[in-house]
Every structure is written in C-alpha cells, then in structure tokens.
Amino acid sequence: ALGWNFTDADLLALKRLARARGHYYRGSVLFDASRPAPEGLVFVDTASGAPITDATPAADLARAELRGGAFRGWLVVAGSLEISGDARVRGLAYAQDGFVYRGATPGGIEGQVVAAGVRGGSASLSGAGDGSTLTFDCAAAAGGDGTVPGGWMLKAGSYRELSDP
C-alpha cells in the first residue's frame, strides 16, 4: 500500500486471501450483534466482483455496514462503509469510495480509517463527541490488531518439504 491507498494489485491479493479464509462477501452486507463480522481480513467486493473504475455503475458498488458489536482486523470494502451505534473497531476500516461513522458510547475506532474516494465518495464523522472515540493507532492498523499477518504467506497446499534422500 502506498500512503494507505491500496493499489489494484494489493486489492486483488487481499480479495484472494479473504476468499481463501472464507471472509469474502459481494454486494451489500450488514454486520451487527446477531451477525458479527469475522475477525481478521474481511473483503466486501462489488456486486459483479469487478474492480472499481470511474465507469463502475453506482448499483455495482459494495455497501457494508457495521452496526454494533466488535471487530478486529481489516475491513476492506469495494464501495462504501458505514460504522454506527456502539460498534467497536480495532484495526483498519478501508472503503474504496465513501465512509460514514455515526458512533455512540461505548463504541469507537482504534486504528486507521481510509476513504479513498475512487468514485467521489467522501467521509462523514458524527457522534465522536458523545463518548465514542476515534483514535489513530498505527500498530493496530498495520496488523489488524494482530489478526492480519505481514510479509509473505504460503497458499495452503502449495508447498511441501522434499524428503531427505
């Protein structure tokens, strides 16, 4: 990632990793207390699965909502992300387009929020003065609070040790 904006190659790698871990979604998804987001890397892709460009129709953009509950890791959305209520996030909240935060006590975000605005989306923050917190934490963002490994990773089944002769 360059300056916290992922490249197309970064996003493709993240999408593949999330798919391999069973944390890949398409279109619109709602996470709340009864349907919590899984821990670690979560990728919410466009409805078509195609990368976002200036020509991507608005109806194809992903939309993810986190209403309450806790999340640790990286939540990457190929579209817009909304975090509301008493949701607690520790890690990275990354929206390729827009981001909305409507927090309430005891919620908050510790880590990093990125709204890349690929299609002109913006960031909106409200409720941060009522006891909810927005705190930059580089270590939590970089490693998803310990849930997203850094460096090279092996694809399951793609490696084996040669036996000694």
Side-chain angles (χ1 to χ4, degrees), residues 22-104:
H23 300 163
Y24 173 82
Y25 303 84
R26 271 195 180 173
S28 293
V29 64
L30 168 65
F31 300 113
D32 59 16
S34 63
R35 294 173 302 263
E39 190 173 271
L41 171 64
V42 174
F43 195 102
V44 183
D45 206 353
T46 58
S48 67
I52 294 178
T53 67
D54 290 340
T56 301
D60 193 31
L61 294 176
R63 176 164 165 59
E65 278 188 74
L66 180 63
R67 292 186 202 158
F71 174 74
R72 287 179 55 224
W74 285 4
L75 181 55
V76 180
V77 182
S80 296
L81 171 60
E82 180 177 329
I83 298 174
S84 63
D86 64 349
R88 293 170 313 284
V89 175
R90 186 153 168 80
L92 173 67
Y94 187 95
Q96 279 189 272
D97 201 34
F99 175 79
V100 174
Y101 177 74
R102 294 185 182 102

